[in-house]
């Protein structure tokens, strides 16, 4: 009999087949060779069942039914991909062995084992664990297959993560929504992240700017001139600053102190996913999800980078020879040939702990280019690939060298300080190019707070020209003036800075080593953080304004109600970080998943009990839809039944302040990971509150609801197209904004009826275009993806 290999996605399966069974027959949903059959999962084919699969009564949201804590979690197939699931089951009957070739990580492990459990597959299983899809790596991976039983601890951690998100998200969302009659999405990870945005918002709104003055003087010595800042207590009166400037202007002075020190600056760490997302957001404005999707395409489609969903910035000794092959490949490219030829390969070796540090490599090493020469990449793909390649090449160059000058100049008894950073040798900085210069400058600073940083920026002069003064020679103050300044509030979060805060569980940690130590206590994982941010946007808690992330009125109300209910732990970044740490310990066999889940169940019970005692909030605290995003989910939620036709129902997509609706469980948003909606992790209930009957004056129906077993109709709302059978528990909604493309009623009708739209062109931020279709990937929820 043959071996059945189950990959996570079709592209991965076809790549594996090309290496193992190059003559395999293509059967569309699988490839069959002499010894192997290769098929794929297309993301989550199976997930945790929604509450109504346990009991019909859960279709209606009632406080008396909470908490919902299943004795044993049920599984339910994704109705959109049941054919593929059936194919896997039929193929398995013809095979006596299985290979789990899903993504090498916690969620890939979950995808495979949910399929295995649902189909009741009993064959022995081996695990393929690889970090890139080059033929050499695939062959090496299959030559070194290990029993999947060796990954049991990782499987238990994956199940615990999924079930914990279900328990907290399902119960907390229902409890708060029922109590306050407003759609309130709550979750184990998304709520602490929202709390970070709330706390920053409060800091900014409470901030009172103060005006102050600095006195800046211009000094000359022979043919040299330099500036200095007056040293003393902060000046808050303009008259005092002007008087001080007049006192020293035109007067002789002397240098009372001059120190010069040399320093070296080494290349920045290799990329992990979060660091890549942060810097891509800063440089190109890409949302975290966009960067993840691009990186996934570079890995899976183009095969020019290694596995992107990594939390490591280092490599192992095994990677060093492959990195040498990458360097050889880059020498043959027109873009990087000159830089690669100037590289010193002796700098990257197993003794270089800044690159090779096996102790700091968890499931996957840092993101690297592969030896495969890139073909045609889109402009956005090229941007991300360029970042990864330049970061890789920088480690083959020497450190940058600087002289740091600090001069204290005295005039009329007043002292002025000058700080200059003189570049002696650019070293690895030549690799960055002009685009990375500002990033390098920002990363090289030690930030001590906005006010102190601003004052340091006033003093520091960065130059690549020679700088020197003669401490024994007189100077003259050629000019001096008082300059008005104002204290600045904390900066609003961008996706880049929010990712950084999530990585360190909200701690403002600038030190790389300390932040590294916090990685296992962060909010979410590198693969899920982008989905969490997208989830907050989708439910109307946050909105974007350029690169800035703003919390909405409803987002503020949600945090205030959660903290007011006495369940502030639910909004605690550090607590959730500790949960992530415990999941990591479970994956290593160092902690019990049963004990963890018992505590999660107790936590869910506690949340429900606290919320039941909370007074109902006034409708006004949730605000009205301002038309700037976040309208969906801002309406009032009806949790009581009414006869069809008695009142006007409207979908959660409408954004109406009085729309009857029930929220998508946060388990969906929390679990989302990887390549967006197609990799939705344990996507659960998204009940959309509308009625089955169409009263007079109600919106026109545009299509039948595609959710299996629903029988409802879709209507158009302000922000999307939702089903009218909300009170029966239908969770279907198609949002109008899909990757910057506005979904029309005709497109929604086509998605509902056929599962896809006609071919269209989407314009990217860089001005380039790409053709493809919108595809309905999950008819139970309305999840849509753009596929070229």
């Amino acid at each position: 009999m043959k071996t059945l290999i189950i990959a996570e996605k079709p592209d991965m399966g076809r790549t594996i087949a090309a290496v193992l069974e190059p003559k395999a027959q293509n059967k569309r949903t699988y490839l069959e060779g002499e010894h192997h059959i290769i098929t794929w999962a297309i993301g989550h084919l199976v997930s945790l069942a929604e509450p109504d699969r346990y009991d019909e009564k859960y279709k209606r949201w009632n406080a008396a039914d909470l908490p919902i804590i299943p004795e044993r979690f049920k599984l339910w197939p994704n109705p959109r991909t049941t054919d593929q699931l059936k194919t896997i089951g039929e193929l398995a009957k013809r095979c006596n062995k299985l290979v789990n070739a899903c993504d090498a990580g916690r969620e890939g492990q979950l995808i495979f084992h949910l399929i295995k459990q649902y189909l009741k597959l009993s064959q022995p299983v081996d695990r393929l664990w690889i970090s890139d899809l080059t033929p050499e790596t695939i062959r090496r991976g299959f030559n070194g297959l290990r029993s999947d039983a060796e990954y049991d601890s990782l499987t238990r951690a994956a199940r615990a993560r999924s079930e914990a998100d279900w328990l907290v998200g399902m119960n907390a969302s229902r409890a708060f929504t029922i109590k306050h009659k407003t759609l309130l999405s709550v979750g184990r990870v998304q709520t602490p992240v929202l709390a970070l945005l709330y706390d920053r918002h409060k800091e900014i709104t409470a901030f009172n700017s103060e005006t102050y003055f600095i006195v800046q003087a211009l000094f000359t010595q022979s043919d040299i001139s330099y500036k200095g800042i007056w040293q003393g207590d902060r000046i808050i009166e303009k008259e005092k600053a002007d008087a001080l400037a007049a006192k020293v202007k035109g007067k002789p002075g002397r240098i009372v102190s001059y120190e010069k020190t040399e320093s070296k600056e080494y290349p920045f760490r290799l990329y992990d996913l979060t660091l890549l997302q942060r810097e891509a957001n800063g440089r190109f404005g890409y949302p975290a999800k966009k960067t993840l999707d691009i990186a996934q395409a570079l890995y899976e489609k183009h095969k020019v980078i290694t596995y992107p969903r990594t939390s490591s910035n280092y490599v192992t000794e095994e990677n060093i020879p492959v990195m040498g092959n990458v360097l050889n490949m880059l020498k043959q490219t027109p873009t990087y040939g000159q830089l690669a030829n100037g590289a010193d390969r002796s700098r990257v070796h197993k003794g270089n702990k800044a690159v090779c540090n096996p102790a700091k490599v968890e499931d996957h090493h840092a993101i690297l280019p592969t030896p495969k020469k890139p073909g045609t990449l889109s402009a956005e793909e090229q941007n991300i690939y360029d970042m990864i390649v330049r970061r890789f090449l920088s480690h083959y160059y020497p450190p940058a060298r600087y002289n740091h000058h600090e001069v204290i100049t005295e005039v009329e008894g007043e002292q002025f300080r000058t700080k200059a950073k003189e570049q002696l040798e650019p070293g690895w900085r030549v690799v960055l190019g002009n685009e990375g210069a500002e990033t390098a400058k920002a990363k090289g600073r030690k930030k001590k707070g906005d006010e102190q940083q601003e004052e340091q920026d006033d003093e520091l002069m960065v130059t690549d020209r020679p700088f020197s003064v003669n401490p024994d020679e007189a100077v003259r103050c050629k000019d001096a003036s008082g300059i008005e300044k104002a204290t600045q509030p904390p900066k609003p979060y961008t996706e880049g800075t929010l990712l950084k805060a999530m990585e360190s569980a909200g701690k403002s940690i600038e030190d790389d080593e300390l932040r590294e130590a916090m990685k296992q206590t962060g909010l979410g994982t590198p693969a899920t953080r982008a989905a969490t941010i997208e989830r907050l946007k989708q439910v109307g808690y946050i909105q974007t304004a350029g690169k800035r992330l703003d919390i909405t009125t409803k987002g503020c109300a949600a945090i205030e109600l959660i903290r007011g209910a006495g369940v502030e732990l639910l909004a605690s970044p550090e607590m959730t970080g500790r949960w992530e740490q415990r999941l990591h310990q479970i994956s290593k066999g160092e902690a019990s998943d049963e004990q963890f889940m018992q505590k999660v169940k107790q936590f869910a019970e506690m949340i429900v009990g606290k919320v039941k005692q909370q007074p109902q909030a006034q409708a006004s605290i949730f605000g009205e839809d301002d038309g700037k995003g976040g309208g969906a989910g801002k309406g009032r939620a009806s949790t009581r039944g009414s006869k069809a036709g008695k009142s006007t129902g409207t979908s959660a997509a409408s954004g109406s302040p009085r729309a009857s609706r029930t929220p998508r469980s946060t388990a969906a948003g929390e679990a989302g990971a990887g390549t967006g909606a197609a990799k939705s992790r344990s996507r659960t209930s998204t009940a959309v509150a509308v009625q089955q009957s169409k009263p007079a004056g109600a919106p026109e129906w545009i299509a039948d609801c595609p959710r299996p077993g629903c029988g409802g109709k879709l209507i158009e709302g302000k922000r999307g197209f939702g089903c009218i059978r909300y009170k029966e528990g239908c969770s279907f909604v198609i949002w109008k904004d899909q990757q910057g493309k506005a979904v029309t009623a005709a497109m929604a009708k086509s998605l509902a009826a056929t599962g896809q739209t006609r071919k269209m062109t989407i314009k990217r931020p860089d001005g380039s275009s790409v053709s493809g279709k919108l595809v309905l990937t999950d008819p139970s929820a309305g999840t849509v993806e753009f596929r070229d």
Side-chain angles (χ1 to χ4, degrees):
M1 297 182 77
K2 298 180 180 181
T3 296
L4 178 63
I5 300 171
I6 302 176
E8 189 161 325
K9 288 187 173 180
D11 282 349
M12 184 182 295
R14 295 186 185 104
T15 302
I16 291 171
V19 176
L20 293 187
E21 297 279 4
K23 296 181 180 180
Q25 291 182 301
N26 190 340
K27 304 287 188 177
R28 195 175 65 82
T29 56
Y30 66 95
L31 295 105
E32 184 164 358
E34 185 178 355
H35 303 290
H36 304 86
I37 301 175
I38 302 97
T39 189
W40 37 83
I42 322 178
H44 268 278
L45 301 185
V46 180
S47 59
L48 298 182
E50 296 182 14
D52 58 74
R53 301 297 179 187
Y54 295 88
D55 193 317
E56 285 288 318
K57 68 180 182 181
Y58 292 136
K59 284 186 176 180
R60 298 169 66 94
W61 290 27
N62 296 313
D65 293 331
L66 300 179
I68 305 172
I69 301 179
E71 289 186 15
R72 190 165 183 265
F73 282 90
K74 293 183 179 181
L75 303 182
W76 199 255
N78 182 336
R80 188 71 183 172
T81 53
T82 51
D83 288 346
Q84 185 64 18
L85 184 63
K86 183 179 178 181
T87 295
I88 293 175
E90 291 171 349
L91 293 174
K93 294 174 183 176
R94 299 168 46 201
C95 300
N96 62 351
K97 192 174 183 181
L98 307 177
V99 173
N100 175 5
C102 293
D103 282 354
R106 190 170 77 186
E107 294 305 325
Q109 198 72 3
L110 182 64
I111 285 174
F112 176 86
H113 278 273
L114 292 182
I115 293 170
K116 180 175 179 286
Q117 179 184 342
Y118 185 81
L119 295 176
K120 299 179 180 178
L121 305 181
S122 58
Q123 296 92 330
V125 181
D126 282 339
R127 185 55 158 115
L128 175 70
W129 194 273
I130 56 177
S131 289
D132 63 65
L133 293 173
T134 59
E136 297 81 4
T137 301
I138 291 171
R139 290 190 190 97
R140 188 166 59 248
F142 273 94
N143 288 335
L145 288 175
R146 297 165 65 181
S147 170
D148 190 73
E150 296 182 36
Y151 297 86
D152 280 349
S153 294
L154 184 62
T155 306
R156 286 196 295 272
R159 287 187 186 278
R161 194 281 308 153
S162 177
E163 293 171 4
D165 285 343
W166 194 99
L167 286 168
V168 174
M170 200 68 66
N171 286 290
S173 293
R174 289 193 176 209
F176 277 101
T177 296
I178 292 167
K179 170 58 71 172
H180 303 294
K181 294 181 167 44
T182 295
L183 173 72
L184 291 172
S185 181
V186 185
R188 184 182 65 86
V189 177
Q190 79 168 45
T191 300
V193 174
L194 183 63
L196 293 177
L197 289 152
Y198 174 87
D199 291 339
R200 178 61 58 86
H201 167 73
K202 286 298 181 182
E203 288 180 49
I204 294 171
T205 54
F207 184 83
N208 291 317
S209 181
E210 296 179 359
T211 299
Y212 67 97
F213 298 85
I214 64 169
V215 178
Q216 186 181 75
L218 175 64
F219 301 107
T220 59
Q221 184 187 71
S222 300
D223 58 348
I224 298 170
S225 64
Y226 61 95
K227 292 179 180 179
I229 302 295
W230 179 75
Q231 300 299 289
D233 295 334
R234 175 171 285 183
I235 302 172
I236 58 175
E237 298 92 7
K238 183 178 187 302
E239 294 77 15
K240 182 177 178 180
D242 290 343
L244 211 161
K247 176 183 177 182
V248 298
K249 185 175 181 180
K251 301 294 176 61
R254 66 190 183 94
I255 294 175
V256 296
S257 171
Y258 176 38
E259 294 181 3
K260 182 170 72 172
T261 58
E262 186 175 328
S263 70
K264 293 181 179 180
E265 187 176 61
Y266 291 88
F268 304 140
R269 294 171 299 153
L270 293 169
Y271 283 119
D272 62 10
L273 177 58
T274 302
L275 185 58
L276 182 68
Q277 288 170 317
R278 282 166 43 194
E279 294 194 9
N281 179 255
R283 284 181 56 183
F284 306 114
Y286 294 165
K289 182 182 181 299
K290 185 183 190 71
T291 299
L292 174 58
D293 290 345
I294 294 170
Q296 186 68 21
L298 292 172
Y299 165 67
E300 194 171 278
K301 179 180 176 181
H302 300 287
K303 302 173 182 62
V304 294
I305 68 169
T306 58
Y307 186 76
R309 298 187 199 95
T310 176
S311 61
S312 176
N313 305 103
Y314 304 93
V315 302
T316 66
E317 295 177 9
E318 295 176 349
N319 300 123
I320 302 298
V322 180
M323 292 173 72
N325 295 337
V326 173
L327 191 61
N328 291 336
M329 178 275 293
L330 292 173
K331 290 180 179 179
Q332 310 304 316
T333 63
T335 305
Y336 308 108
Q338 184 175 351
L339 289 172
N341 280 307
D344 179 1
R345 66 173 61 235
S346 68
R347 291 187 171 276
V348 175
H349 53 83
K350 64 181 182 180
N352 181 351
K353 294 302 181 184
V355 178
C356 183
N357 197 336
K360 292 186 177 181
V361 176
E362 293 288 342
D363 294 337
H364 303 283
H365 57 72
I367 303 173
L368 300 171
T370 68
K372 185 178 186 297
K373 195 172 183 178
T376 302
L377 303 178
S378 70
E380 292 171 344
E381 289 169 341
Q382 180 59 43
N383 285 340
I384 299 300
Y385 181 70
D386 184 74
M387 289 175 66
I388 294 167
V389 168
R390 290 182 185 276
R391 184 61 56 91
F392 166 84
L393 285 171
S394 69
H395 286 273
Y396 287 90
Y397 277 75
R401 291 178 55 244
Y402 298 92
N403 269 339
H404 297 267
H405 306 264
E406 183 167 324
V407 184
I408 302 295
T409 307
E410 186 175 85
V411 181
E412 295 293 304
E414 307 292 343
Q415 292 192 343
F416 296 78
R417 182 167 66 179
T418 302
K419 296 177 71 176
K421 183 179 180 181
E422 174 194 4
Q423 180 176 282
L424 302 177
E425 294 178 7
W428 59 273
R429 284 183 179 272
V430 299
V431 174
L432 291 179
N434 294 331
E435 298 84 358
E438 190 58 37
T439 301
K441 181 180 177 182
K443 287 178 71 70
R445 296 172 178 166
K446 290 184 178 179
K447 297 182 180 177
K448 299 180 180 179
D450 291 335
E451 292 178 31
Q452 288 176 293
Q453 183 60 49
E454 187 175 353
E455 291 177 8
Q456 286 182 4
D457 288 346
D458 288 331
E459 291 184 62
L460 182 64
M461 177 179 69
V462 180
T463 178
D464 57 0
R465 296 180 179 179
F467 178 92
S468 66
V469 294
N470 186 344
D472 300 321
E473 187 178 327
V475 299
R476 175 168 291 277
C477 179
K478 184 178 181 181
D479 194 11
S481 60
I483 301 173
E484 183 175 324
K485 296 281 184 177
T487 57
Q488 299 297 313
K491 293 181 179 179
Y493 278 117
T494 64
E495 287 206 22
T497 57
L498 183 60
L499 284 167
K500 184 177 182 180
M502 292 171 73
E503 186 179 44
S504 59
K507 291 183 177 294
S508 299
I509 299 174
E510 300 299 331
D511 182 86
D512 285 347
E513 291 186 9
L514 289 178
R515 190 167 58 249
E516 184 74 23
M518 281 295 294
K519 273 196 173 181
Q520 296 307 329
T521 59
L523 295 174
T525 65
T528 63
R529 287 170 187 145
T532 298
I533 295 173
E534 290 301 311
R535 175 67 186 153
L536 291 172
K537 295 176 186 175
Q538 189 182 60
V539 299
Y541 285 161
I542 65 174
Q543 58 194 28
T544 56
K547 289 184 181 180
R548 192 177 74 234
L549 291 177
D550 291 337
I551 189 168
T552 63
T553 302
K554 185 182 179 185
C556 290
I559 292 300
E560 288 166 359
L561 287 172
I562 289 166
R563 288 175 170 169
V567 289
E568 55 274 4
L569 279 176
L570 187 55
S572 166
E574 290 189 53
M575 188 213 76
T576 303
R578 290 196 295 270
W579 280 28
E580 288 290 344
Q581 184 180 43
R582 184 55 54 89
L583 288 168
H584 178 70
Q585 291 170 344
I586 292 169
S587 72
K588 298 298 180 183
E590 299 168 357
S592 166
D593 56 315
E594 292 181 358
Q595 292 179 7
F596 172 77
M597 288 306 301
Q598 188 58 40
K599 289 183 179 180
V600 173
K601 291 174 183 178
Q602 292 170 359
F603 187 56
E605 290 174 347
M606 184 268 284
I607 292 170
V608 170
K610 293 279 190 181
V611 176
K612 285 181 178 179
Q613 298 172 19
Q614 187 178 34
Q616 181 183 332
Q618 296 294 319
S620 58
I621 75 164
F622 300 104
E624 299 288 332
D625 182 13
D626 59 8
K628 295 180 182 179
K634 283 194 178 184
R636 306 294 290 166
S638 170
T639 57
R640 296 172 298 178
S642 63
K643 292 182 180 179
K646 210 164 188 179
S647 63
T648 301
T650 181
S651 80
S654 71
S656 166
R658 296 297 301 174
S660 297
R661 70 193 68 166
T662 319
R664 179 185 303 239
S665 158
T666 52
E670 300 293 323
T675 57
K679 292 195 69 168
S680 171
R681 309 300 188 195
S682 303
R683 193 167 289 279
T684 54
S685 171
T686 312
V688 181
V690 266
Q691 283 187 204
Q692 168 61 21
S693 296
K694 177 174 175 279
E700 291 295 324
W701 296 331
I702 64 168
D704 293 333
C705 178
R707 187 171 186 264
C710 174
K713 304 288 184 181
L714 298 187
I715 60 173
E716 181 174 2
K718 189 170 184 179
R719 298 188 67 229
F721 304 88
C723 179
I724 62 174
R725 289 182 64 91
Y726 74 95
K727 289 186 178 176
E728 288 81 358
C730 182
S731 58
F732 189 88
V733 58
I734 295 174
W735 301 104
K736 287 185 176 180
D737 184 6
Q738 297 288 345
Q739 301 188 30
K741 189 77 173 179
V743 176
T744 64
M747 292 163 68
K749 182 176 181 179
S750 179
L751 283 165
T754 68
Q756 61 183 23
T757 63
R758 292 182 179 179
K759 203 160 189 179
M760 66 183 71
T761 299
I762 285 184
K763 209 159 195 178
R764 295 186 170 113
D766 63 2
S768 64
S769 301
V770 60
S771 296
K773 299 178 180 180
L774 291 177
V775 178
L776 183 65
T777 58
D778 184 358
S780 66
T783 304
V784 174
E785 270 194 351
F786 182 78
R787 293 180 177 172
D788 52 16

